[in-house]
Amino acid sequence: MRKDYFTVKGLGESELIIQKSRFLTYVNRADSEQQAQAFIQEIKSQHKSANHNCSAYLIGEHDSIQKANDDGEPSGTAGVPILEVLKKQGLKDTVVVVTRYFGGIKLGSGGLIRAYGKATTEGLQASIIVERRLHLLMKVSVDYSWLGKVENEIRNSTYPLNRIDYAESVELFLYVPVLMEEYFFEWITEMTNGQANIKQHSQDFLDFDI
């Protein structure tokens, strides 16, 4: 399972005018091909009168799913340039749609490749790029007498607190970066004089703006 990777936080948009043609770029995260296709269809439905709605997406840890669509532009002049920008910037689980309203001046193959590449780059610049880092969700169970100290220490630490469950004992759920679990165990054990029960609950990705 991947430990960390770069993607977009959510929807990003930009607009570019080249030789009177209007290029509207839409960027979004897509964790599956179904999500990517749904986003593409959503943009197409918003711009039914556009000359072209070209798109590309990369999905999966090893970019196992990657598609490019020229949507009527000359082969290789739109979808592939969009895809190449995504690869060059090292983004994963990302879909891009570039909508073009033709302005009456033909750009030629080279001009189209540059235009779609630039439109994609500007769309990504208008988006929030995040690093998704794999964390372990740890469950720390302690007696109620330890709650005040443990909760205070955790809230003042770098470990994000997920939630607290009040049951027979207090269960605090917090995120620990992968490869930091040994240090975390030692920290909690020392804090509670060995009175805490520590277990890994699950694995989750957390987003960090870059």
Side-chain angles (χ1 to χ4, degrees):
M1 187 177 186
R2 63 182 130 180
K3 290 186 175 63
D4 49 68
Y5 63 98
F6 296 98
T7 185
V8 293
K9 190 169 188 174
L11 181 64
E13 302 178 23
S14 67
E15 180 175 343
L16 178 65
I17 305 296
I18 299 178
Q19 294 293 318
K20 296 185 178 181
S21 279
R22 186 179 175 214
F23 293 84
L24 305 174
T25 304
Y26 300 90
V27 181
N28 213 342
R29 183 185 295 182
D31 296 317
S32 67
E33 188 165 20
Q34 290 77 15
Q35 286 184 8
Q37 289 288 350
F39 180 69
I40 292 169
Q41 292 305 317
E42 177 185 345
I43 300 303
K44 282 187 172 182
S45 68
Q46 293 177 16
H47 296 282
K48 294 178 181 179
S49 61
N51 300 88
H52 309 279
N53 287 287
C54 306
S55 60
Y57 52 84
L58 280 173
I59 297 170
E61 180 177 1
H62 302 292
D63 301 334
S64 55
I65 301 174
Q66 48 183 284
K67 296 285 178 64
N69 190 317
D70 295 311
D71 195 39
E73 294 282 29
S75 180
T77 64
V80 170
I82 297 171
L83 187 63
E84 288 303 313
V85 171
L86 291 176
K87 290 181 178 179
K88 184 177 181 180
Q89 297 205 15
L91 297 175
K92 299 181 182 299
D93 295 349
T94 303
V95 55
V96 176
V97 182
V98 180
T99 297
R100 181 190 183 194
Y101 287 91
F102 182 53
I105 300 175
K106 293 185 177 182
L107 302 180
S109 295
L112 286 172
I113 291 171
R114 289 189 294 273
Y116 279 99
K118 185 176 182 180
T120 303
T121 299
E122 292 201 1
L124 292 173
Q125 289 174 345
S127 306
I128 298 175
I129 306 298
V130 296
E131 183 177 14
R132 304 205 78 205
R133 301 174 191 165
L134 184 62
H135 283 63
L136 305 176
L137 182 60
M138 308 297 290
K139 181 176 76 171
V140 178
S141 302
V142 294
D143 184 81
Y144 276 85
S145 61
W146 287 100
L147 175 59
K149 179 180 181 180
V150 174
E151 181 179 358
N152 183 64
E153 292 288 341
I154 288 174
R155 290 190 184 278
N156 286 300
S157 74
T158 58
Y159 302 112
L161 180 64
N162 175 265
R163 71 180 191 273
I164 300 176
D165 289 349
Y166 301 93
E168 185 175 337
S169 60
V170 184
E171 298 176 341
L172 301 98
F173 293 81
L174 59 156
Y175 292 105
V176 177
V178 170
L179 303 180
M180 291 289 291
E181 51 265 49
E182 183 175 343
Y183 174 81
F184 174 76
F185 270 85
E186 292 176 356
W187 180 62
I188 293 292
T189 299
E190 182 178 350
M191 182 198 309
T192 62
N193 294 329
Q195 299 301 305
N197 187 325
I198 310 168
K199 291 183 179 180
Q200 180 182 328
H201 184 264
S202 61
Q203 293 186 351
D204 292 298
F205 282 99
L206 299 184
D207 289 358
F208 294 85
D209 294 351
I210 61 171

